[in-house]
């Protein structure tokens, strides 16, 4: 098949003048820190063959939108931490959102997750500090909400917890605007300060 299928870590890290990127179509993985700190990066299209987005891949970029491809199964730790994302739509094949994946994406208002999604884990601090987040629907596949997953999501006033959920970790919803919550029967662990 030939061509570039992956990059080493931090290849374009800190390229603050980089505004857009066209990636090779046969690329399989966005490597760790690939565009970390590319504070002017506002536009990128993910090739259809991408299966994983590495740690800090788009941390502190100017990306306001991203289209996740169907092959992606995991968004690794801090992948979009501090990005300027406004709305994200997760594909059905994503099973895990890593720790701090979208932390401090203050402009993020909406997270769309299909009812048919395979998402099982929302990691520690995944949406921490997403102060604009007001709308998220959790799928019936979800089993775990990690420590501080929605910590300081100050505009999050309502959330429906799915019947598949078994664990809510510490401070998962601390400092949100929640007015009421219905705890499903499936819950076996609710940690301190959840």
């Amino acid at each position: 098949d030939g061509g570039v299928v992956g990059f080493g870590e931090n290849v374009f890290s800190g390229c603050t003048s980089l505004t857009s990127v066209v990636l090779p179509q046969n690329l399989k993985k966005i490597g760790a820190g690939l565009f970390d700190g590319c504070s002017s990066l506002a536009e990128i299209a993910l090739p259809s063959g991408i299966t994983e987005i590495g740690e800090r891949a788009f941390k502190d970029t100017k990306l306001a939108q991203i289209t996740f491809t169907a092959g992606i199964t995991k968004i690794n730790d801090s992948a979009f931490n501090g990005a300027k994302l406004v709305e994200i739509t997760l594909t059905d094949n994503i099973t895990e959102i890593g720790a701090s994946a979208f932390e401090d994406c203050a402009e993020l208002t909406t997270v769309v997750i299909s009812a048919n999604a395979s998402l099982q884990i929302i990691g520690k601090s995944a949406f921490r500090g997403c102060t604009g987040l007001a709308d998220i629907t959790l799928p019936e596949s979800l089993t775990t909400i990690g420590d501080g997953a929605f910590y300081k999501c100050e505009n999050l006033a309502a959330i429906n917890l799915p019947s598949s959920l078994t664990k809510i970790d510490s401070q998962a919803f601390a400092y949100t605007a929640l007015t009421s919550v219905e705890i499903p029967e499936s819950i076996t662990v609710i940690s301190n300060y959840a």
Side-chain angles (χ1 to χ4, degrees):
D1 197 54
V4 176
V5 294
F7 291 97
E9 292 187 13
N10 303 306
V11 174
F12 299 104
S13 180
C15 291
T16 58
S17 298
L18 188 64
T19 59
S20 66
V21 174
V22 176
L23 295 170
Q25 284 304 305
N26 53 342
L27 192 66
K28 302 294 180 209
K29 179 180 177 183
I30 302 291
L34 187 60
F35 299 105
D36 183 359
C38 294
S39 56
S40 298
L41 182 61
E43 188 177 335
I44 195 164
L46 297 179
S48 60
I50 295 288
T51 58
E52 188 176 341
I53 297 175
E55 295 176 1
R56 305 172 333 280
F58 298 102
K59 185 177 186 295
D60 295 327
T61 62
K62 199 175 178 180
L63 288 176
Q65 68 175 29
I66 189 90
T67 301
F68 294 105
T69 58
I72 296 172
T73 57
K74 183 176 181 182
I75 300 171
N76 279 302
D77 299 354
S78 299
F80 294 93
N81 186 316
K84 304 299 180 202
L85 295 169
V86 174
E87 179 177 319
I88 56 172
T89 300
L90 300 178
T91 59
D92 290 351
N93 295 327
I94 295 173
T95 59
E96 183 176 349
I97 298 172
S100 302
F102 298 99
E103 183 174 355
D104 292 331
C105 290
E107 289 84 0
L108 184 63
T109 59
T110 305
V111 177
V112 178
I113 305 171
S114 154
N116 299 322
S118 303
L119 184 64
Q120 296 171 5
I121 299 168
I122 296 177
K124 177 181 179 178
S125 300
F127 295 98
R128 181 186 183 111
C130 293
T131 54
L133 184 60
D135 188 26
I136 186 169
T137 301
L138 302 177
E140 282 300 323
S141 56
L142 189 68
T143 60
T144 303
I145 298 175
D147 292 346
F150 295 97
Y151 185 93
K152 286 199 175 182
C153 291
E154 298 166 350
N155 284 305
L156 188 61
I159 197 158
N160 290 319
L161 300 177
S163 61
S164 57
L165 192 63
T166 58
K167 184 177 182 184
I168 301 174
D169 280 329
S170 298
Q171 298 187 329
F173 297 101
Y175 302 102
T176 62
L178 291 178
T179 57
S180 67
V181 176
E182 185 175 330
I183 308 295
E185 295 291 328
S186 58
I187 293 286
T188 57
V189 176
I190 299 179
S191 297
N192 295 337
Y193 307 106

